[in-house]
Amino acid sequence: MAKPIPKMGSRRNGRIGSRKNARRIPKGVIHVQASFNNTIVTVTDVRGQVVSWASAGTSGFKGTRRRTPYAAQTAAENAIRTVRDQGMQRAEVMIKGPGLGRDAALRAIRRSGILLSFVRDVTPMPHNGCRPPKKRRM
């Protein structure tokens, strides 16, 4: 008779397979998505697994205040604070979107003390995109 495998933790106390514990990450990728209404900052390791994230909405801003540069700066600081404690020293930055928070988030990332290997703009640009819907006739 095989021995039963002991369960690690329960679902009640948070995550099931807690990957979030103290994994040391020396190098990562910081993604900044700056839309017109919100700014989302996601920090991943080099394999693309999300380590930490924050947005202007989760940082306590509601309504039209989410679109401000200050909200983007606060979101970037909140996302980076946790990964700096996990030992991240170097990062690449990918910035996407047309929003007001692009420069403010980048400024906050620069001030955080993480060395940036490069900053890349990955905003999707249509090379004359999709065909528009045909005009409505009356």
Side-chain angles (χ1 to χ4, degrees), residues 119-133:
V119 179
R120 180 178 287 171
D121 188 359
V122 289
T123 307
M125 286 287 178
H127 297 305
N128 221 9
C130 303
R131 182 176 172 156

Side-chain angles (χ1 to χ4, degrees), residues 31-35 94-99 102 120-124:
H31 300 269
V32 179
Q33 290 177 279
S35 70
M94 309 286 198
I95 299 182
K96 182 188 284 189
R102 294 166 56 108
R120 180 178 287 171
D121 188 359
V122 289
T123 307

Side-chain angles (χ1 to χ4, degrees), residues 42-75:
T42 311
V43 185
T44 66
D45 57 11
V46 279
R47 287 169 54 195
Q49 294 178 321
V50 174
V51 182
S52 161
W53 69 276
S55 69
T58 60
S59 301
F61 296 91
K62 291 282 175 272
T64 52
R65 288 204 297 277
R66 280 189 316 194
R67 63 190 301 179
T68 61
Y70 177 67
Q73 172 189 323
T74 311

Side-chain angles (χ1 to χ4, degrees), residues 87-102:
M88 184 183 282
Q89 288 123 11
R90 293 204 322 281
E92 307 165 354
V93 180
M94 309 286 198
I95 299 182
K96 182 188 284 189
L100 293 169
R102 294 166 56 108

